[in-house]
């Protein structure tokens, strides 16, 4: 099976682009920085055998319009994801995120917990390896708190 054609929906006056394969419960694949929905082509086609698999271009990536703020927060991406899900008729989904996509999922869970069936997070917030262990722990706690996971 080849990669399906992209779908474009309007979310608050902005275009969000995504690819879709299959039917059944929704699983949405969220890419990292410097990537796009097409990076999930193998997973999309495979998961489409059992799920309504969707790989989106996050706002500002691929075929999706950027968000209005010059430096959007993860909550802005969470709202865009909720809008895309609404436009696609998806009340709740399994979410799979890589890197930045994982951070978007964290914000989405905080804002829309009732819309998350499960989540898989990969390569979350890597990149602080040169910091001391204490500084890495402080940054991790701040990130978890910002995503609504304070106390973990």
């Amino acid at each position: 099976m080849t990669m399906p054609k992209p779908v474009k929906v309007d979310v608050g006056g902005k275009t969000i682009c995504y690819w879709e394969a299959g039917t059944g419960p929704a699983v949405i694949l969220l890419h990292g920085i410097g990537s796009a929905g097409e990076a999930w082509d193998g997973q999309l086609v495979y998961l489409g055998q059992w799920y309504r698999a969707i790989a989106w271009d996050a706002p500002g990536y691929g075929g999706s319009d950027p968000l209005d703020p010059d430096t959007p927060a993860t909550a802005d991406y969470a709202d865009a994801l909720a809008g895309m899900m609404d436009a696609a008729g998806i009340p709740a989904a399994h979410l799979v995120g890589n890197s930045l996509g994982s951070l978007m999922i964290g914000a989405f869970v905080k804002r829309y917990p009732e819309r998350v069936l499960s989540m898989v997070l990969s390569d979350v917030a890597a990149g602080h390896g040169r910091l001391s262990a204490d500084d890495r722990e402080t940054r991790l706690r701040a990130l978890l708190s910002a995503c609504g996971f304070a106390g973990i």
Side-chain angles (χ1 to χ4, degrees), residues 82-147:
M84 186 215 69
M85 289 171 65
D86 291 342
I90 301 169
H94 301 280
L95 303 175
V96 178
N98 178 265
S99 189
L100 176 62
S102 293
L103 298 178
M104 293 174 191
I105 290 172
F108 188 84
V109 168
K110 182 177 180 181
R111 293 175 79 87
Y112 306 98
E114 71 284 356
R115 300 190 75 175
V116 179
L117 300 175
S118 69
M119 62 182 179
V120 176
L121 309 177
S122 171
D123 289 332
V124 183
H128 299 293
R130 292 187 176 154
L131 297 176
S132 71
D134 288 340
D135 287 342
R136 284 195 311 272
E137 181 68 21
T138 298
R139 287 181 183 255
L140 174 61
R141 295 289 169 201
L143 176 63
L144 291 171
S145 179
C147 291

Side-chain angles (χ1 to χ4, degrees), residues 5-20 28-31 36-38 52 54-68 72 75-90 104 108:
K5 293 187 185 269
V7 176
K8 294 189 177 196
V9 294
D10 181 272
V11 175
K14 301 281 187 178
T15 297
I16 299 289
C17 179
Y18 65 90
W19 285 261
E20 180 174 355
I28 301 175
L29 308 167
L30 291 85
H31 62 82
E38 289 181 285
R52 181 180 179 192
I54 292 174
W56 85 330
D57 284 343
Y61 294 84
S64 294
D65 291 338
L67 295 170
D68 285 328
D76 297 321
Y77 290 100
D79 292 340
L81 178 58
M84 186 215 69
M85 289 171 65
D86 291 342
I90 301 169
M104 293 174 191
F108 188 84

